[in-house]
Amino acid sequence: MTLAPLVAGAAGRPTLSFELFPPRSETGRDSLWRRLSDLLGSNPDFVSVTFGAAGATRGPSRDLLAHVLTTSAVPAMAHLTCVGSSRRQVVELATEFLDAGVRNVLALRGDPPAGVPDWTPHPDGVATARDLVELLQVADRRRLALRGGSRPLDEGPLSLAVAAFPRARDHHELAVLRAKQDAGARFAICQVTFSAQEYAAFVRRARAAGITIPLLPGVAVSDDPRRLERIGELTGVRAPRGLLAALDTDDAPTRRRAATAFTSGLAHGLLEAGAPGLHLYTFNAAAPALDLLDHLDLTRPATHPRPAAAVEATAAAGGSTR
Ligand SMILES: NC(=O)C1=CN([C@@H]2O[C@H](COP(=O)(O)OP(=O)(O)OC[C@H]3O[C@@H](n4cnc5c(N)ncnc54)[C@H](O)[C@@H]3O)[C@@H](O)[C@H]2O)C=CC1
Ligand SMILES: Nc1nc(=O)c2c([nH]1)NC[C@@H]1CN(c3ccc(C(=O)N[C@@H](CCC(=O)O)C(=O)O)cc3)CN21
Protein backbone atom coordinates (compact mmCIF):
# COMPACT_ATOMS: atom_id res chain seq x y z
CA MET A 1 0.00 0.00 0.00
CA THR A 2 1.52 3.33 -1.06
CA LEU A 3 0.81 5.90 1.58
CA ALA A 4 1.59 9.10 -0.30
CA PRO A 5 -1.81 9.39 -2.09
CA LEU A 6 -3.64 8.67 1.18
CA VAL A 7 -1.75 11.39 3.00
CA ALA A 8 -2.47 13.69 0.06
CA GLY A 9 -6.19 13.20 0.72
CA ALA A 10 -7.17 10.38 -1.66
CA ALA A 11 -9.42 8.79 0.99
CA GLY A 12 -11.39 12.03 1.39
CA ARG A 13 -10.83 12.10 5.15
CA PRO A 14 -7.94 13.01 7.46
CA THR A 15 -5.06 10.50 7.47
CA LEU A 16 -4.42 8.87 10.80
CA SER A 17 -1.17 7.22 11.84
CA PHE A 18 0.35 5.89 15.05
CA GLU A 19 4.02 5.90 15.93
CA LEU A 20 5.34 2.93 17.93
CA PHE A 21 8.74 2.02 19.29
CA PRO A 22 10.05 -1.54 19.48
CA PRO A 23 9.83 -3.25 22.88
CA ARG A 24 13.05 -3.59 24.88
CA SER A 25 12.37 -7.02 26.42
CA GLU A 26 10.39 -10.23 25.90
CA THR A 27 7.84 -9.17 28.55
CA GLY A 28 7.55 -5.79 26.89
CA ARG A 29 6.90 -7.58 23.63
CA ASP A 30 3.97 -9.65 24.91
CA SER A 31 2.26 -6.67 26.48
CA LEU A 32 2.90 -4.54 23.36
CA TRP A 33 1.28 -7.18 21.12
CA ARG A 34 -1.91 -6.82 23.24
CA ARG A 35 -1.99 -3.02 23.17
CA LEU A 36 -1.13 -3.15 19.50
CA SER A 37 -4.20 -5.17 18.66
CA ASP A 38 -6.34 -2.38 20.25
CA LEU A 39 -4.48 0.27 18.27
CA LEU A 40 -4.62 -1.67 14.98
CA GLY A 41 -8.30 -2.41 15.60
CA SER A 42 -9.05 1.31 15.19
CA ASN A 43 -7.88 0.90 11.58
CA PRO A 44 -5.29 3.68 11.21
CA ASP A 45 -4.00 4.46 7.72
CA PHE A 46 -0.56 3.32 8.82
CA VAL A 47 1.67 2.74 11.82
CA SER A 48 5.33 3.74 11.92
CA VAL A 49 8.06 2.03 13.91
CA THR A 50 11.05 3.97 15.25
CA PHE A 51 14.66 2.96 14.84
CA GLY A 52 16.94 3.51 17.87
CA ALA A 53 19.91 5.88 17.71
CA ALA A 54 22.56 4.55 15.30
CA GLY A 55 20.55 1.42 14.59
CA ALA A 56 20.42 0.22 18.21
CA THR A 57 16.99 -1.40 17.69
CA ARG A 58 17.49 -2.82 14.20
CA GLY A 59 16.30 -6.41 15.00
CA PRO A 60 13.39 -5.43 17.28
CA SER A 61 12.23 -2.69 14.84
CA ARG A 62 12.23 -5.15 11.92
CA ASP A 63 10.40 -7.78 14.02
CA LEU A 64 7.69 -5.31 15.07
CA LEU A 65 7.21 -4.23 11.44
CA ALA A 66 7.01 -7.86 10.32
CA HIS A 67 4.45 -8.54 13.07
CA VAL A 68 2.21 -5.68 11.90
CA LEU A 69 2.62 -6.66 8.23
CA THR A 70 1.80 -10.34 8.75
CA THR A 71 -0.95 -10.12 11.38
CA SER A 72 -2.89 -7.05 10.25
CA ALA A 73 -3.91 -5.27 7.10
CA VAL A 74 -2.56 -1.93 8.35
CA PRO A 75 0.37 -0.60 6.28
CA ALA A 76 3.60 -0.21 8.25
CA MET A 77 6.30 2.39 7.79
CA ALA A 78 9.89 1.84 8.93
CA HIS A 79 11.95 4.71 10.30
CA LEU A 80 15.49 4.22 8.97
CA THR A 81 18.49 6.34 9.87
CA CYS A 82 21.86 6.83 8.22
CA VAL A 83 24.06 8.73 10.65
CA GLY A 84 27.11 6.61 11.49
CA SER A 85 26.70 4.16 8.61
CA SER A 86 28.64 3.75 5.37
CA ARG A 87 26.75 3.68 2.08
CA ARG A 88 27.22 -0.07 1.91
CA GLN A 89 25.80 -0.55 5.40
CA VAL A 90 22.79 1.62 4.53
CA VAL A 91 22.08 -0.45 1.40
CA GLU A 92 22.35 -3.66 3.46
CA LEU A 93 20.03 -2.28 6.11
CA ALA A 94 17.50 -1.11 3.53
CA THR A 95 17.58 -4.49 1.75
CA GLU A 96 16.92 -6.31 5.04
CA PHE A 97 13.81 -4.19 5.66
CA LEU A 98 12.62 -4.42 2.04
CA ASP A 99 13.00 -8.21 2.28
CA ALA A 100 10.76 -8.11 5.37
CA GLY A 101 8.03 -6.56 3.18
CA VAL A 102 8.51 -2.88 4.07
CA ARG A 103 7.55 -0.51 1.21
CA ASN A 104 7.15 2.69 3.23
CA VAL A 105 10.14 4.33 4.87
CA LEU A 106 10.62 7.50 6.92
CA ALA A 107 14.16 8.51 5.91
CA LEU A 108 15.86 10.24 8.85
CA ARG A 109 19.38 11.40 9.51
CA GLY A 110 19.07 9.91 13.03
CA ASP A 111 20.17 10.93 16.51
CA PRO A 112 23.68 10.14 17.72
CA PRO A 113 23.62 7.48 20.47
CA ALA A 114 22.99 8.95 23.94
CA GLY A 115 25.73 8.56 26.54
CA VAL A 116 28.51 7.61 24.10
CA PRO A 117 30.92 10.56 24.51
CA ASP A 118 33.56 9.33 22.02
CA TRP A 119 31.04 8.54 19.26
CA THR A 120 31.99 9.82 15.80
CA PRO A 121 30.07 9.56 12.54
CA HIS A 122 31.30 7.14 9.88
CA PRO A 123 34.09 8.84 7.83
CA ASP A 124 32.62 8.04 4.40
CA GLY A 125 29.08 7.71 5.66
CA VAL A 126 25.73 9.06 4.59
CA ALA A 127 25.42 12.35 6.46
CA THR A 128 21.98 13.73 5.66
CA ALA A 129 18.42 12.53 5.25
CA ARG A 130 18.45 13.84 1.68
CA ASP A 131 21.28 11.45 0.79
CA LEU A 132 19.37 8.63 2.50
CA VAL A 133 16.30 9.37 0.34
CA GLU A 134 18.47 8.87 -2.74
CA LEU A 135 20.26 5.81 -1.42
CA LEU A 136 17.03 4.04 -0.45
CA GLN A 137 15.85 4.36 -4.05
CA VAL A 138 19.19 2.97 -5.23
CA ALA A 139 18.84 0.03 -2.80
CA ASP A 140 15.30 -0.70 -4.02
CA ARG A 141 16.36 -0.61 -7.69
CA ARG A 142 19.39 -2.80 -6.97
CA ARG A 143 17.25 -5.35 -5.14
CA LEU A 144 14.78 -5.41 -8.02
CA ALA A 145 17.55 -5.90 -10.61
CA LEU A 146 19.00 -8.80 -8.60
CA ARG A 147 15.62 -10.50 -8.76
CA GLY A 148 15.43 -10.24 -12.53
CA GLY A 149 13.73 -6.87 -12.77
CA SER A 150 10.11 -7.79 -12.21
CA ARG A 151 8.24 -6.89 -9.07
CA PRO A 152 5.94 -9.38 -7.35
CA LEU A 153 2.33 -8.27 -7.82
CA ASP A 154 1.85 -7.59 -4.10
CA GLU A 155 4.94 -5.36 -3.92
CA GLY A 156 4.02 -1.72 -4.42
CA PRO A 157 6.43 1.07 -5.29
CA LEU A 158 8.79 2.33 -2.60
CA SER A 159 7.26 5.35 -0.85
CA LEU A 160 9.51 7.69 1.11
CA ALA A 161 8.69 10.24 3.79
CA VAL A 162 11.00 12.60 5.69
CA ALA A 163 10.96 14.68 8.88
CA ALA A 164 9.93 18.34 8.99
CA PHE A 165 10.42 20.81 11.84
CA PRO A 166 7.62 23.32 12.50
CA ARG A 167 9.91 25.21 14.92
CA ALA A 168 12.53 25.84 12.26
CA ARG A 169 12.46 29.51 11.33
CA ASP A 170 15.50 29.95 9.16
CA HIS A 171 15.62 29.61 5.43
CA HIS A 172 18.33 26.91 5.61
CA GLU A 173 15.97 24.42 7.28
CA LEU A 174 13.33 25.03 4.59
CA ALA A 175 16.00 24.52 1.92
CA VAL A 176 16.90 21.21 3.56
CA LEU A 177 13.25 20.10 3.47
CA ARG A 178 12.95 21.26 -0.14
CA ALA A 179 16.06 19.19 -1.02
CA LYS A 180 14.50 16.11 0.60
CA GLN A 181 11.34 16.68 -1.46
CA ASP A 182 13.38 17.14 -4.65
CA ALA A 183 15.27 13.90 -3.93
CA GLY A 184 11.96 12.00 -3.92
CA ALA A 185 10.24 12.31 -0.53
CA ARG A 186 6.47 12.08 -1.04
CA PHE A 187 5.37 13.60 2.29
CA ALA A 188 6.78 14.80 5.58
CA ILE A 189 5.98 13.90 9.17
CA CYS A 190 6.42 16.86 11.47
CA GLN A 191 8.30 16.93 14.70
CA VAL A 192 6.01 17.00 17.74
CA THR A 193 4.12 20.26 18.17
CA PHE A 194 1.83 21.56 20.90
CA SER A 195 0.50 24.51 18.91
CA ALA A 196 -1.76 24.62 15.86
CA GLN A 197 -0.60 28.21 15.19
CA GLU A 198 3.02 27.09 15.10
CA TYR A 199 2.12 24.35 12.58
CA ALA A 200 0.01 26.70 10.43
CA ALA A 201 2.76 29.33 10.28
CA PHE A 202 5.28 26.63 9.31
CA VAL A 203 3.08 25.35 6.50
CA ARG A 204 2.77 28.91 5.14
CA ARG A 205 6.57 29.37 5.19
CA ALA A 206 7.11 25.96 3.59
CA ARG A 207 4.62 26.62 0.76
CA ALA A 208 6.30 29.97 0.07
CA ALA A 209 9.61 28.09 -0.20
CA GLY A 210 8.28 25.77 -2.92
CA ILE A 211 7.49 22.82 -0.65
CA THR A 212 4.41 21.14 -2.08
CA ILE A 213 4.37 17.73 -0.35
CA PRO A 214 1.81 17.06 2.42
CA LEU A 215 3.07 18.06 5.89
CA LEU A 216 1.51 15.71 8.42
CA PRO A 217 1.56 17.20 11.93
CA GLY A 218 2.86 15.13 14.85
CA VAL A 219 0.88 15.06 18.13
CA ALA A 220 2.12 13.49 21.37
CA VAL A 221 -0.93 11.79 22.87
CA SER A 222 0.58 10.60 26.16
CA ASP A 223 -1.16 11.16 29.50
CA ASP A 224 2.16 10.52 31.27
CA PRO A 225 3.97 13.79 32.10
CA ARG A 226 7.31 11.92 32.27
CA ARG A 227 6.93 10.94 28.63
CA LEU A 228 6.24 14.53 27.65
CA GLU A 229 9.29 15.68 29.65
CA ARG A 230 11.38 13.03 27.87
CA ILE A 231 10.21 14.06 24.41
CA GLY A 232 11.01 17.66 25.38
CA GLU A 233 14.58 16.64 26.27
CA LEU A 234 14.94 14.65 23.07
CA THR A 235 13.51 17.21 20.66
CA GLY A 236 13.79 20.58 22.42
CA VAL A 237 10.01 21.02 22.01
CA ARG A 238 8.63 21.48 25.52
CA ALA A 239 5.05 20.66 26.48
CA PRO A 240 3.07 23.69 27.70
CA ARG A 241 3.32 24.18 31.48
CA GLY A 242 -0.48 24.15 31.80
CA LEU A 243 -0.66 20.68 30.26
CA LEU A 244 2.10 19.31 32.50
CA ALA A 245 0.32 20.81 35.54
CA ALA A 246 -3.01 19.23 34.53
CA LEU A 247 -1.27 15.83 34.22
CA ASP A 248 0.44 16.19 37.61
CA THR A 249 -2.00 13.97 39.54
CA ASP A 250 -2.01 10.34 40.72
CA ASP A 251 -5.64 9.96 39.65
CA ALA A 252 -5.44 8.09 36.34
CA PRO A 253 -8.96 8.97 35.05
CA THR A 254 -8.31 12.68 35.71
CA ARG A 255 -5.00 12.42 33.85
CA ARG A 256 -6.62 10.68 30.92
CA ARG A 257 -9.36 13.31 30.67
CA ALA A 258 -6.84 16.15 30.87
CA ALA A 259 -4.69 14.62 28.13
CA THR A 260 -7.69 14.13 25.84
CA ALA A 261 -9.01 17.64 26.49
CA PHE A 262 -5.63 19.01 25.37
CA THR A 263 -5.01 16.72 22.39
CA SER A 264 -8.53 17.08 21.02
CA GLY A 265 -8.27 20.90 21.15
CA LEU A 266 -4.92 20.71 19.39
CA ALA A 267 -6.16 18.19 16.81
CA HIS A 268 -9.19 20.36 15.96
CA GLY A 269 -6.91 23.36 15.51
CA LEU A 270 -4.53 21.41 13.27
CA LEU A 271 -7.29 20.02 11.06
CA GLU A 272 -8.91 23.45 10.83
CA ALA A 273 -5.54 24.84 9.74
CA GLY A 274 -5.70 22.41 6.79
CA ALA A 275 -3.55 19.56 8.12
CA PRO A 276 -3.89 16.44 5.95
CA GLY A 277 -4.32 14.29 9.05
CA LEU A 278 -2.66 13.46 12.35
CA HIS A 279 0.44 11.43 13.18
CA LEU A 280 0.07 10.36 16.81
CA TYR A 281 3.16 9.73 18.93
CA THR A 282 1.58 6.96 21.04
CA PHE A 283 4.55 5.83 23.16
CA ASN A 284 3.01 2.38 22.69
CA ALA A 285 -0.03 3.19 24.87
CA ALA A 286 -3.46 2.56 23.35
CA ALA A 287 -5.88 4.43 25.64
CA PRO A 288 -4.84 8.08 25.08
CA ALA A 289 -4.82 7.63 21.28
CA LEU A 290 -8.16 5.80 21.21
CA ASP A 291 -9.74 8.36 23.58
CA LEU A 292 -8.70 11.09 21.16
CA LEU A 293 -10.24 9.27 18.19
CA ASP A 294 -13.51 8.83 20.11
CA HIS A 295 -13.50 12.50 20.96
CA LEU A 296 -12.83 13.60 17.39
CA ASP A 297 -15.34 11.16 16.00
CA LEU A 298 -12.65 9.85 13.68
CA THR A 299 -13.95 6.29 13.51
CA ARG A 300 -12.55 4.47 10.55
CA PRO A 301 -14.22 2.02 8.21
CA ALA A 302 -12.13 -1.13 7.57
CA THR A 303 -10.68 -0.42 4.14
CA HIS A 304 -7.39 -2.30 4.03
CA PRO A 305 -7.40 -5.69 2.31
CA ARG A 306 -6.19 -8.39 4.68
CA PRO A 307 -2.75 -9.89 3.96
CA ALA A 308 -2.68 -13.50 2.78
CA ALA A 309 -0.88 -14.66 5.96
CA ALA A 310 -3.64 -13.29 8.23
CA VAL A 311 -6.40 -14.69 6.04
CA GLU A 312 -4.79 -18.14 6.06
CA ALA A 313 -4.20 -18.03 9.81
CA THR A 314 -7.85 -17.12 10.44
CA ALA A 315 -9.11 -19.75 8.02
CA ALA A 316 -6.86 -22.39 9.64
CA ALA A 317 -8.32 -21.45 13.03
CA GLY A 318 -11.80 -22.01 11.60
CA GLY A 319 -12.66 -18.30 11.74
CA SER A 320 -14.17 -15.89 9.28
CA THR A 321 -11.81 -14.11 6.89
CA ARG A 322 -13.71 -10.83 7.12
N1 LIG B 1 12.81 9.19 14.78
C1 LIG B 1 11.92 10.10 14.43
O1 LIG B 1 10.77 9.85 14.30
C2 LIG B 1 12.36 11.49 14.19
C3 LIG B 1 13.66 11.82 14.32
N2 LIG B 1 14.10 13.08 14.12
C4 LIG B 1 15.51 13.41 14.29
O2 LIG B 1 15.74 14.76 13.99
C5 LIG B 1 17.07 14.96 13.53
C6 LIG B 1 17.14 15.62 12.16
O3 LIG B 1 16.81 14.66 11.19
P1 LIG B 1 16.43 14.87 9.66
O4 LIG B 1 15.54 16.02 9.49
O5 LIG B 1 16.04 13.54 9.20
O6 LIG B 1 17.85 15.18 9.06
P2 LIG B 1 18.36 16.13 7.90
O7 LIG B 1 19.53 15.44 7.30
O8 LIG B 1 17.27 16.57 7.02
O9 LIG B 1 18.89 17.37 8.73
C7 LIG B 1 19.78 17.21 9.80
C8 LIG B 1 20.59 18.48 10.03
O10 LIG B 1 21.57 18.59 9.01
C9 LIG B 1 21.47 19.83 8.34
N3 LIG B 1 21.63 19.60 6.89
C10 LIG B 1 20.93 18.72 6.14
N4 LIG B 1 21.32 18.76 4.86
C11 LIG B 1 22.32 19.70 4.79
C12 LIG B 1 23.14 20.19 3.76
N5 LIG B 1 23.04 19.75 2.51
N6 LIG B 1 24.03 21.15 4.06
C13 LIG B 1 24.15 21.61 5.30
N7 LIG B 1 23.40 21.16 6.34
C14 LIG B 1 22.51 20.22 6.10
C15 LIG B 1 20.07 20.33 8.63
O11 LIG B 1 20.04 21.72 8.68
C16 LIG B 1 19.75 19.73 9.98
O12 LIG B 1 20.12 20.59 11.02
C17 LIG B 1 17.66 13.58 13.54
O13 LIG B 1 18.31 13.40 14.75
C18 LIG B 1 16.44 12.71 13.37
O14 LIG B 1 16.65 11.38 13.73
C19 LIG B 1 13.20 14.02 13.79
C20 LIG B 1 11.88 13.74 13.64
C21 LIG B 1 11.36 12.45 13.81
N1 LIG C 1 15.27 14.00 17.54
C1 LIG C 1 14.26 13.10 17.53
N2 LIG C 1 14.54 11.79 17.68
C2 LIG C 1 13.54 10.88 17.69
O1 LIG C 1 13.84 9.68 17.85
C3 LIG C 1 12.19 11.34 17.53
C4 LIG C 1 11.95 12.69 17.38
N3 LIG C 1 12.99 13.57 17.40
N4 LIG C 1 10.72 13.18 17.22
C5 LIG C 1 9.60 12.35 17.06
C6 LIG C 1 9.75 11.03 17.65
C7 LIG C 1 9.51 10.93 19.14
N5 LIG C 1 10.33 9.83 19.50
C8 LIG C 1 10.49 9.33 20.79
C9 LIG C 1 10.17 10.08 21.89
C10 LIG C 1 10.33 9.57 23.19
C11 LIG C 1 10.85 8.31 23.36
C12 LIG C 1 11.03 7.78 24.74
O2 LIG C 1 10.36 8.19 25.65
N6 LIG C 1 11.95 6.84 24.89
C13 LIG C 1 12.24 6.23 26.19
C14 LIG C 1 12.55 4.76 26.03
C15 LIG C 1 11.42 3.98 25.47
C16 LIG C 1 11.52 2.51 25.73
O3 LIG C 1 12.25 1.83 24.99
O4 LIG C 1 10.89 2.02 26.68
C17 LIG C 1 13.45 6.91 26.81
O5 LIG C 1 13.56 6.84 28.03
O6 LIG C 1 14.23 7.47 26.04
C18 LIG C 1 11.18 7.56 22.25
C19 LIG C 1 11.02 8.07 20.97
C20 LIG C 1 11.03 9.33 18.34
N7 LIG C 1 11.09 10.48 17.50
Side-chain angles (χ1 to χ4, degrees):
M1 163 76 68
T2 308
L3 301 177
L6 265 181
V7 178
R13 54 172 162 72
T15 313
L16 177 69
S17 51
F18 297 145
E19 184 163 313
L20 308 167
F21 46 70
R24 278 199 217 178
S25 62
E26 289 285 313
T27 352
R29 203 176 70 162
D30 292 344
S31 80
L32 175 59
W33 277 191
R34 279 195 302 278
R35 275 168 288 147
L36 198 53
S37 77
D38 291 342
L39 282 170
L40 295 174
S42 72
N43 202 30
D45 292 294
F46 67 97
V47 296
S48 79
V49 174
T50 63
F51 194 74
T57 63
R58 177 175 182 156
S61 293
R62 192 202 49 226
D63 292 349
L64 176 52
L65 286 156
H67 177 80
V68 173
L69 288 167
T70 53
T71 64
S72 85
V74 174
M77 167 187 271
H79 297 207
L80 292 183
T81 66
C82 56
V83 67
S85 309
S86 68
R87 290 177 66 86
R88 214 181 104 184
Q89 286 167 331
V90 169
V91 170
E92 268 170 29
L93 168 72
T95 306
E96 177 182 324
F97 278 67
L98 295 171
D99 284 345
V102 168
R103 303 304 298 158
N104 295 285
V105 178
L106 179 64
L108 298 158
R109 183 199 62 182
D111 297 316
V116 188
D118 55 355
W119 188 86
T120 46
H122 195 284
D124 86 73
V126 189
T128 68
R130 192 208 81 94
D131 294 341
L132 181 59
V133 168
E134 276 186 352
L135 200 48
L136 288 170
Q137 294 169 88
V138 170
D140 185 49
R141 283 196 297 270
R142 195 171 292 178
R143 179 174 169 272
L144 185 63
L146 282 173
R147 299 155 129 222
S150 67
R151 258 190 217 299
L153 283 176
D154 59 351
E155 196 172 281
L158 184 67
S159 175
L160 302 178
V162 290
F165 298 85
R167 276 285 164 90
R169 300 210 61 91
D170 64 349
H171 190 74
H172 167 74
E173 286 304 322
L174 289 171
V176 165
L177 180 56
R178 173 77 195 256
K180 294 192 273 194
Q181 164 184 289
D182 293 348
R186 302 283 303 278
F187 66 96
I189 297 183
C190 295
Q191 182 59 287
V192 60
T193 185
F194 295 95
S195 156
Q197 289 76 15
E198 178 180 85
Y199 168 79
F202 167 67
V203 173
R204 279 195 296 277
R205 289 196 301 277
R207 298 300 178 230
I211 292 155
T212 54
I213 53 176
L215 303 167
L216 192 59
V219 175
V221 287
S222 183
D223 61 0
D224 179 348
R226 284 165 310 185
R227 285 283 186 213
L228 298 181
E229 301 271 14
R230 179 74 192 111
I231 206 171
E233 285 162 13
L234 189 70
T235 65
V237 185
R238 303 279 169 183
R241 285 218 193 98
L243 172 60
L244 293 174
L247 297 178
D248 185 17
T249 160
D250 290 333
D251 185 54
T254 305
R255 248 193 347 257
R256 224 166 122 171
R257 273 196 302 277
T260 306
F262 181 84
T263 54
S264 58
L266 175 58
H268 272 298
L270 291 166
L271 294 172
E272 249 162 49
L278 303 168
H279 179 73
L280 304 185
Y281 295 106
T282 67
F283 306 92
N284 293 358
L290 298 180
D291 283 355
L292 172 63
L293 299 191
D294 283 348
H295 227 79
L296 292 176
D297 208 13
L298 274 185
T299 46
R300 335 276 306 173
T303 47
H304 307 295
R306 306 246 283 150
V311 173
E312 278 157 24
T314 321
S320 143
T321 54
R322 282 269 129 209

